[in-house]
Amino acid sequence: MPDERDEVPGTGSSAVGDAGGGVSETEIAVHWQEEEYYEPPASFVAQANLTDPQVYERFSLEHFPDYYTEFADLLDWSKRWDTVLDSSNPPFWRWFVGGELNASYNCIDRHLEQAKNKTALYFVPEPEDEPIEAITYQELFVRVNEFAAYLRDGIGMQRGDRVTVHMPMVSQLAVTMLACARLGVIHSVVFGGFSARACADRIVDSGSSVLITMDGYWRDGKWIDHKEKADQAVEMARQDGRAISSVLIWRRNRGSYGSSFGLVEGRDVVVDDVIGQYRGQRVEPEAMRSEDTLFLMYTSGSTGKPKAAQHSTGGYLSYVTAMSKLILDIKPTDVYWCMADIGWITGHSFIVYGPLALGASSIIYEGSPTYPDPGRPWRLAERLDVNIFHTSPTAIRALRKVGAEEPTKYHYNFKLMVTVGEPIEPDVWRWYYNVVGRRNAAVVDTWWQTENGGFLCSTVPALKPMKPGSAGPGVPGIHPVIYDEDGNEVPAGTGKGGNICIRNPWPGSMLGIWGDPDRYVATYYARYCKDPGSKAWRDWPYFAGDGAMLAKDGYFRILGRIDDVINVAGHRLGTKEIEAAALKVAGVAEAAVVAAHDEVKGVVPEVFVTLLPGVVPSEEFGTQVVDSVVREIGPIARPRKVWLVPDLPKTRSGKIMRRVLASISNRGDIGDVTSLANPEIVEQIQGMVQS
Ligand code: WT7
């Protein structure tokens, strides 16, 4: 399958809500047993960045918000801030106000004096016979400056403009982001595997006039012609009222254009045809205000329309730099590989901004983790002597499934390993720790979200033991709490689930939802705010939308999403978006999407559809629904199965009972359905699905 980037590491989980497995949080809690601790290896502790147990005391709420100056002090500011936190307009937090800095300067320029010859980025092409490219900090400086000069002088881009970037995993993507940051241009990177439709929606919402893309790339041994999506996205955006004036196309292979879709006169420019005109040019980094927007990152919510988390320059960069140092334990001498895609927040924070701000060497791998064989990641780790490795439960499950013994065949030495994106099953965790990490690496399970910029819960690797399946306590500075439906605090150790919230603001938190302040307040802060008129930050807990359980030891176990969002391959997809795509198929009357459990991917969408009266059911509908979902959203959302059913189970008020459908798909307990408007349909569907 040509563009199957749904296999991308990043990757499935258990939703707890309506679309989920039909099990309540409390029931899950009852079935789970406490796991035993694993101590971090002594060799790790001996070299760790953070070994001071006092850190939790220093970062107690009593010292809020001043403790966060420790994070901001990791950066170079052209002007120091005067206010650590401006919380005068809750919940719109502004960090390090009065301060000025530039993200590109912090990730590149400031390392030149000491480390210009050090590798900043390794680009690892998917084809193994193509050489790996090591880009030094000096070389990155040159490329970023030249591209920034072109954006500014050739295209006329200015601070505050938005640009949509739809690119694969290549070094030019990082160069593009850093060039934008240098100019104060707000980048909105759209995951390369997303469809033209998804790209167009993001162009329109962000108000971009420029699209940056690439001709093509390698994925699973196949050349993907990517430029086609740019042509389609520009046309779709035009129909929706947004004109793209320039499409800038990087070439995957310098000097040879790899797309069968030609250049549109007056609109399209091949970057490496024109960049020569800017050779040797330097662009002074713009002094950005701390609270200026660095980038937009789209994510799914419970309504169909994707929303962009708007991340700040000073707060965000301070936060990801601190997390990279304290939790990922990155040092300038480390070689760090995060397998996520830069098109997700994990890649922004932990391939590009965090590791580069610390002057480390970060790897950008173009392709699929199992190409050409399941040994690829471990071979790459050996070859580049990677010592910090970052991936997701889906990728771990997939790698275990196809090659449980593969890691033992290669010589690499991880000091730390990361898991992110969804809850990890304790068994899968143990394989990661024992086989991939050879019991010689600390493992951190980092719980956070697109909106947060960086980690919320994780153990500090040298200070706290690991517990499989649990993310751990709040990271230093983060004070999580679990509330029940009525806003009462659920104490530790009850075995009861609830809604995890964060008591305090933090610098990595988004500035807002781009263009939609009301949705920002409604989605994240209205739920547990008792007094909307209050100006005190304490009255505005952040509502994450995940179910969680707090054990006696203060470790949080995340249960999954509680809204109509399913976590596929570690990334949130709105069930309504998928349903909307299904409804585009002529003849389809209703659609319901549920999260079906999958051994490797964790969770995949399954679709139940009914047809309009008089329409004759046929296999075709299944194919058409799948095609429509892939076209509208991308292969990541590809349904595993489409069921044509005579009717959908509904409440008397007409609400589709996705929970019941999910239980059928997952062969779970359906519970009492007698109060439904049409209980008889449940058995019929069960017969179809479970036979
Ligand atoms: C949702 C956020 C930010 C990372 C990539 C996903 C789930 C994330 C964990 C974890 C259990 C996790 C949550 C969260 N999640 N990390 N370590 N353990 N669940 O970003 O697309 O914004 O999704 O991913 O459900 O709300 P995202």
Side-chain angles (χ1 to χ4, degrees):
M1 289 171 285
D3 201 8
E4 284 309 274
R5 302 195 60 197
D6 50 347
E7 296 294 348
V8 160
T11 20
S13 99
S14 42
V16 176
D18 210 12
V23 202
S24 82
E25 292 150 26
T26 5
E27 277 173 79
I28 294 177
V30 174
H31 297 151
W32 273 345
Q33 50 182 31
E34 272 294 297
E35 297 290 332
E36 65 194 57
Y37 292 121
Y38 291 69
E39 291 298 327
S43 56
F44 176 83
V45 177
Q47 60 82 62
N49 280 328
L50 178 52
T51 52
D52 173 11
Q54 302 271 289
V55 67
Y56 289 103
E57 153 57 24
R58 238 172 33 245
F59 282 78
S60 66
L61 272 184
E62 209 182 311
H63 305 301
F64 181 86
D66 290 346
Y67 54 66
Y68 278 127
T69 57
E70 275 192 43
F71 288 14
D73 279 333
L74 296 172
L75 301 179
D76 287 358
W77 297 74
S78 52
K79 180 166 173 279
R80 202 176 164 83
W81 60 90
D82 13 73
T83 311
V84 175
L85 168 64
D86 173 359
S87 58
S88 59
N89 181 27
F92 298 89
W93 321 114
R94 298 295 177 256
W95 286 91
F96 312 120
V97 178
E100 291 180 357
L101 77 168
N102 182 282
S104 149
Y105 178 88
N106 273 280
C107 291
I108 308 171
D109 305 42
R110 68 167 175 160
H111 306 312
L112 296 179
E113 199 181 314
Q114 300 287 325
K116 62 172 177 287
N117 274 331
K118 234 203 94 168
T119 299
L121 294 171
Y122 285 104
F123 170 59
V124 181
E126 188 185 78
E128 239 172 330
D129 53 4
E130 215 184 291
I132 291 173
E133 188 186 12
I135 302 167
T136 63
Y137 276 94
Q138 171 66 20
E139 180 62 18
L140 185 61
F141 174 74
V142 169
R143 293 187 193 184
V144 166
N145 273 278
E146 291 178 354
F147 190 58
Y150 170 52
L151 289 179
R152 185 187 63 188
D153 303 337
I155 302 294
M157 301 213 72
Q158 293 176 4
R159 138 185 208 147
D161 290 348
R162 278 83 57 208
V163 56
T164 297
V165 181
H166 195 207
M167 288 176 68
M169 281 288 285
V170 289
S171 62
Q172 293 90 334
L173 174 51
V175 168
T176 299
M177 290 162 64
L178 292 162
C180 290
R182 202 165 187 87
L183 297 171
V185 167
I186 300 169
H187 57 73
S188 165
V189 177
V190 177
F191 170 53
F194 269 154
S195 66
R197 179 75 258 168
C199 181
D201 292 344
R202 287 154 178 76
I203 288 171
V204 174
D205 186 78
S206 63
S208 300
S209 317
V210 175
L211 173 65
I212 305 180
T213 185
M214 184 165 259
D215 55 350
Y217 59 96
W218 290 101
R219 184 83 198 172
D220 265 323
K222 290 182 204 76
W223 175 256
I224 310 292
D225 191 332
H226 186 65
K227 162 61 161 60
E228 177 182 20
K229 286 184 180 170
D231 291 347
Q232 295 169 343
V234 170
E235 175 54 24
M236 291 169 179
R238 190 190 60 76
Q239 285 172 12
D240 291 346
R242 184 79 217 170
I244 285 286
S245 50
S246 301
V247 177
L248 314 184
I249 306 148
W250 289 96
R251 279 191 291 221
R252 164 65 174 73
N253 300 307
R254 203 169 243 269
S256 92
Y257 184 66
S259 170
S260 52
F261 295 83
L263 302 183
V264 174
E265 193 59 56
R267 186 197 76 182
D268 295 1
V269 183
V270 171
V271 174
D272 50 288
D273 280 344
V274 293
I275 200 80
Q277 298 164 28
Y278 300 88
R279 185 163 299 135
Q281 294 212 11
R282 300 291 178 258
V283 172
E284 207 35 51
E286 283 282 315
M288 303 304 291
R289 288 177 307 179
S290 176
E291 69 274 26
D292 281 335
T293 304
L294 178 62
F295 67 86
L296 305 180
M297 174 60 66
Y298 282 84
T299 187
S300 290
S302 53
T303 70
K305 192 174 173 286
K307 56 188 184 208
Q310 187 183 343
H311 281 290
S312 74
T313 307
Y316 170 82
L317 197 64
S318 301
Y319 201 71
V320 298
T321 306
M323 290 301 114
S324 299
K325 181 168 181 172
L326 308 180
I327 307 296
L328 303 184
D329 204 59
I330 296 178
K331 301 193 167 75
T333 43
D334 290 328
V335 179
Y336 164 78
W337 181 22
C338 171
M339 289 214 307
D341 196 288
I342 294 175
W344 309 115
I345 190 73
T346 306
H348 274 50
S349 298
F350 299 115
I351 297 177
V352 180
Y353 287 113
L356 295 182
L358 291 175
S361 302
S362 180
I363 295 173
I364 297 177
Y365 172 55
E366 176 178 33
S368 150
T370 49
Y371 183 84
D373 59 69
R376 183 69 191 269
W378 323 123
R379 209 148 59 234
L380 174 52
E382 175 183 286
R383 163 94 185 238
L384 294 179
D385 201 13
V386 173
N387 65 343
I388 306 178
F389 181 68
H390 192 149
T391 192
S392 61
T394 297
I396 300 169
R397 284 190 294 261
L399 288 165
R400 177 171 78 156
K401 189 171 179 197
V402 293
E405 299 301 321
E406 282 300 308
T408 61
K409 300 181 190 160
Y410 298 92
H411 300 281
Y412 59 82
N413 192 4
F414 294 156
K415 71 166 182 179
L416 181 123
M417 308 191 304
V418 191
T419 164
V420 61
E422 50 178 314
I424 184 166
E425 298 79 359
D427 258 5
V428 176
W429 189 98
R430 277 186 279 270
W431 179 78
Y432 195 39
Y433 175 77
N434 289 322
V435 181
V436 178
R438 299 163 180 156
R439 305 169 159 274
N440 210 15
V443 175
V444 286
D445 181 347
T446 57
W447 171 72
W448 59 297
Q449 311 170 297
T450 302
E451 295 87 338
N452 312 149
F455 311 142
L456 296 179
C457 286
S458 167
T459 50
V460 171
L463 287 178
K464 298 261 180 191
M466 310 163 235
K467 191 162 80 173
S470 293
V475 297
I478 296 290
H479 299 274
V481 57
I482 296 186
Y483 290 126
D484 68 13
E485 290 305 314
D486 306 321
N488 305 309
E489 198 171 325
V490 179
T494 58
K496 276 213 191 92
N499 295 322
I500 186 165
C501 295
I502 311 297
R503 294 182 199 269
N504 59 295
W506 66 98
S509 172
M510 66 189 147
L511 293 164
I513 296 295
W514 179 256
D516 203 344
D518 295 344
R519 190 172 179 193
Y520 166 76
V521 179
T523 310
Y524 305 101
Y525 290 97
R527 181 69 176 84
Y528 288 114
C529 178
K530 292 191 184 106
D531 173 13
S534 170
K535 294 286 170 202
W537 60 263
R538 281 180 193 275
D539 290 331
W540 294 87
Y542 171 83
F543 173 70
D546 278 337
M549 231 170 64
L550 176 57
K552 255 204 220 82
D553 56 10
Y555 281 41
F556 289 88
R557 185 161 190 165
I558 306 298
L559 307 170
R561 304 289 307 160
I562 52 180
D563 53 17
D564 281 347
V565 172
I566 60 178
N567 186 324
V568 181
H571 295 284
R572 280 143 64 190
L573 295 171
T575 47
K576 293 202 171 69
E577 278 177 88
I578 304 175
E579 288 166 3
L583 288 172
K584 289 211 161 174
V585 175
V588 169
E590 288 178 304
V593 170
V594 304
H597 295 287
D598 183 273
E599 199 196 320
V600 173
K601 294 186 184 173
V603 161
V604 286
E606 267 192 19
V607 190
F608 293 81
V609 296
T610 60
L611 300 176
L612 292 170
V615 176
V616 185
S618 78
E619 294 266 310
E620 295 253 303
F621 283 102
T623 326
Q624 285 180 22
V625 166
V626 170
D627 289 350
S628 179
V629 171
V630 170
R631 191 171 53 241
E632 295 292 314
I633 302 163
I636 193 167
R638 180 187 294 276
R640 178 171 77 177
K641 182 84 196 158
V642 178
W643 301 100
L644 294 187
V645 293
D647 197 2
L648 296 170
K650 290 192 188 123
T651 60
R652 296 220 163 98
S653 62
K655 189 175 185 286
I656 299 173
M657 292 297 285
R658 293 180 184 78
R659 183 180 59 74
V660 171
L661 293 169
S663 306
I664 297 176
S665 281
N666 296 315
R667 292 163 197 264
D669 178 12
I670 284 159
D672 182 14
V673 292
T674 47
S675 62
L676 292 186
N678 52 354
E680 68 293 340
I681 196 69
V682 174
E683 218 167 289
Q684 272 189 51
I685 297 178
Q686 223 169 358
M688 293 171 67
V689 174
Q690 299 186 350
S691 61

